[in-house]
Amino acid sequence: MTTATTSSTELDVLGALWAFDFIGFAQKSAALDPTAPGYGQAVGAAFGLVVRRRFPRGAAAEEIGGYVAEFLGSLEAGAEDFDPAALEGLFAEGLHGATAAGGERLGPEPRMQAHLVLSLRMVRELGLGPDEQRELLAEAARATAV
């Protein structure tokens, strides 16, 4: 699978999740290969776009920490699967575009899972409709085009 195909498939998975198309999400997710080159880049790019919309003026470490704590506290189950410091690192990466302390602690699968779950939450918080979601996915595709 080429990087372009991987990116397209990843964004299809993310689009299905954002649309609450769980059958499509499951089917498209099965086509992802966590060992493929560039795995997670497209979803990571989309996550960064959503983070910058959620925090358009940036965010202090305390604000990100509070957001992560509130997110983890809202999970009915599975919060123990996420390391708060690693999630804070993902937010810093999303805001600044560089690998931040904590983010590198996540392997490809946990990183992808965190990006998916957190981006879904922020898309819902921002009230982004289908058109805005498609625009974000298209922008992420352009950002990761080979």
Side-chain angles (χ1 to χ4, degrees):
M1 189 180 298
T2 67
T3 301
T5 303
T6 300
S7 294
S8 174
T9 303
E10 285 182 19
L11 294 176
D12 289 345
V13 167
L14 186 56
L17 178 64
W18 288 355
F20 286 102
D21 173 8
F22 297 116
I23 292 172
F25 174 78
Q27 291 170 338
K28 293 171 187 343
S29 293
L32 293 177
D33 177 5
T35 64
Y39 176 78
Q41 286 180 344
V43 169
F47 174 77
L49 293 168
V50 176
V51 168
R52 289 186 296 279
R53 283 200 183 185
R54 171 62 180 80
F55 299 100
R57 290 179 268 312
E62 297 78 26
E63 185 178 2
I64 291 172
Y67 186 87
V68 166
E70 193 274 322
F71 161 74
L72 292 173
S74 73
L75 297 178
E76 292 180 17
E80 66 278 358
D81 295 339
F82 295 108
D83 172 23
L87 294 182
E88 290 172 21
L90 292 180
F91 274 95
E93 287 175 18
L95 286 169
H96 307 294
T99 300
E104 72 276 355
R105 289 194 255 189
L106 295 173
E109 280 295 301
R111 175 180 285 269
M112 174 75 90
Q113 291 170 358
H115 280 156
L116 289 168
V117 172
L118 289 165
S119 69
L120 173 62
R121 179 184 176 99
M122 288 183 286
V123 161
R124 294 292 164 229
E125 280 180 5
L126 293 167
L128 301 180
D131 291 341
E132 294 162 309
Q133 292 172 25
R134 280 189 292 278
E135 289 172 15
L136 269 171
L137 294 172
E139 190 174 342
R142 286 190 297 276
T144 57
V146 178

